[in-house]
Amino acid sequence: MRSLSSESISRSGEHVSTALGKRTKGLLVLVPLLVLCVVTSLGVGAVSITPAQVVSILLEQVGLPPFTTFTEQQAAVLYAIRLPRVLLGVLVGAALSVAGVALQGLFRNPLADPGLLGVSGGASFAVAAVTVLKLQLLGFYTLPVAAFVGSFVAILLIASLAQENGKTNVAMMLLCGVAINALCVSGTGLFTYLSTDDQLRTLTFWQLGSLAGATWTLVSTITPLVLLCAVGMLFLANPLNALLLGEANAHHLGISVERTKWKIVALVALGVGAGVAVSGMIGFIGLVVPHLIRLWLGPNHRVLLPLSALLGSALLVLADLVARTVVVPSELPIGIVTSLAGSPFFLYLLLRQRRTHVL
């Protein structure tokens, strides 16, 4: 018995050491990548700002002496327009990626993402309803609040319908999610059909996603929600690893399966609802980013969750940079950029892995 315990402790130590090694390897690549994307996005645009000027402006904002000169116009553009937009991209990218990792782990299904489960569909339906019915009760915040409430109600409805004898049936939850998503898409289509030309334009651009409406108020509003989602998911990394073995095995390992499911569902609704509320529908990040990290460093959620947040943030900041610079003076919806860039690359990775018999 003593030898078995020693062997288990030894294996556990090796497992933790391996996870730490992979996480360190990922951090060494992804942190510089995110910094590069952020600095580049802050500097590129109608008003050009060099990386040294970007750093100097940021240093001055925190009371430190800058090390190069810059104009007042450059400082104003960076601080008032580009910095909140880039930070919003970082937050939304992290929220969508972490939610995608959690849902794929919960359902043990590589196709699970917030869009498939109906979370994004609920937000879209709510936004379409308040737009067409002219329910501008909260002024500027009406659409973000409606999107958040819609996504939260959708996932609560799905979780309630999946209850069976006091337990949550995961397969039933996935099927209910598909049905609720289809229902929301139909409702959104109906409101779109009934909309006026101006309302149709608003709905279309919101559904394609954009960070153009970024303000410091929006950044400060969703920051605590996204942080709560991301940090909460990190505490659920071990239960998610256990769920990969099946619910029965997770229960035997001491995991409270039902409580874990509800925690995951609540945190996903919180993160995705907040992200969709301020940026509209941005697809593919929650689906493709977890796969990229999983193909690179394996399925351990202690590695997947933090590194997916970093990669999701970097990719969304980069996609936003492309969206606002490729057709100047106009701006492409960011959802078009993420889908155009992500779909072929994702297919390439899947085909390459199939040839090597990994998938």
Side-chain angles (χ1 to χ4, degrees):
M1 191 69 169
R2 184 175 300 170
S3 62
L4 282 176
S5 299
S6 300
E7 185 179 354
S8 299
I9 292 172
S10 175
R11 287 181 178 176
S12 176
E14 290 176 5
H15 186 66
V16 171
S17 176
T18 303
L20 286 175
K22 289 183 176 180
R23 189 160 56 192
T24 303
K25 177 182 175 183
L27 289 174
L28 289 175
V29 174
L30 295 179
V31 170
L33 175 65
L34 178 58
V35 172
L36 178 64
C37 291
V38 167
V39 172
T40 304
S41 187
L42 288 174
V44 175
V47 176
S48 179
I49 308 173
T50 66
Q53 288 173 323
V54 168
V55 177
S56 294
I57 294 170
L58 296 178
L59 288 176
E60 187 183 58
Q61 291 295 329
V62 296
L64 296 175
F67 55 83
T68 188
T69 58
F70 53 85
T71 65
E72 291 185 2
Q73 183 192 31
Q74 288 175 318
V77 167
L78 187 144
Y79 187 72
I81 300 175
R82 292 186 192 165
L83 189 55
R85 183 167 182 154
V86 168
L87 291 178
L88 202 64
V90 169
L91 292 168
V92 174
L96 295 178
S97 302
V98 166
V101 171
L103 289 178
Q104 290 172 13
L106 174 63
F107 293 113
R108 284 178 287 157
N109 187 322
L111 295 179
D113 81 330
L116 179 68
L117 200 59
V119 184
S120 302
S124 179
F125 174 73
V127 167
V130 299
T131 301
V132 176
L133 298 177
K134 301 179 180 177
L135 301 176
Q136 300 298 320
L137 302 175
L138 301 174
F140 175 76
Y141 295 100
T142 299
L143 291 187
V145 171
F148 182 77
V149 171
S151 60
F152 206 79
V153 169
I155 202 160
L156 281 180
L157 183 60
I158 293 164
S160 301
L161 290 173
Q163 288 294 303
E164 186 176 327
N165 298 324
K167 295 184 177 180
T168 305
N169 186 324
V170 172
M172 186 70 177
M173 183 185 282
L174 186 59
L175 293 174
C176 288
V178 173
I180 293 294
N181 188 48
L183 192 62
C184 290
V185 170
S186 298
T188 304
L190 177 61
F191 279 117
T192 303
Y193 178 77
L194 297 174
S195 63
T196 63
D197 289 346
D198 289 340
Q199 291 169 342
L200 179 62
R201 181 179 176 82
T202 300
L203 288 176
T204 301
F205 277 95
W206 188 87
Q207 288 170 357
L208 291 173
S210 174
L211 299 176
T215 63
W216 282 109
T217 303
L218 286 181
V219 172
S220 60
T221 301
I222 76 161
T223 295
L225 302 178
V226 172
L227 287 179
L228 182 59
C229 169
V231 174
M233 286 297 185
L234 288 177
F235 283 103
L236 295 175
N238 285 333
L240 279 167
N241 283 340
L243 284 174
L244 292 178
L245 304 173
E247 292 186 19
N249 289 328
H251 176 73
H252 289 305
L253 290 172
I255 302 298
S256 176
V257 175
E258 284 303 307
R259 189 177 301 173
T260 299
K261 289 178 187 173
W262 279 102
K263 287 179 181 176
I264 293 171
V265 166
L267 290 174
V268 166
L270 193 65
V272 175
V276 172
V278 298
S279 66
M281 305 280 282
I282 298 177
F284 232 78
I285 294 291
L287 176 65
V288 75
V289 169
H291 282 285
L292 292 175
I293 300 296
R294 195 179 290 113
L295 290 171
W296 179 27
L297 295 172
N300 190 333
H301 285 87
R302 284 183 292 187
V303 178
L304 266 177
L305 286 165
L307 298 189
S308 293
L310 288 173
L311 183 59
S313 298
L315 290 182
L316 197 55
V317 169
L318 191 60
D320 181 57
L321 173 62
V322 173
R324 65 182 173 80
T325 57
V326 73
V327 290
V328 288
S330 300
E331 185 173 311
L332 276 178
I334 196 170
I336 294 177
V337 178
T338 56
S339 297
L340 278 176
S343 303
F345 185 59
F346 186 52
L347 286 173
Y348 162 74
L349 286 175
L350 291 177
L351 293 174
R352 193 186 72 169
Q353 294 301 317
R354 190 178 66 177
R355 281 197 293 269
T356 57
H357 305 290
V358 174
L359 293 177

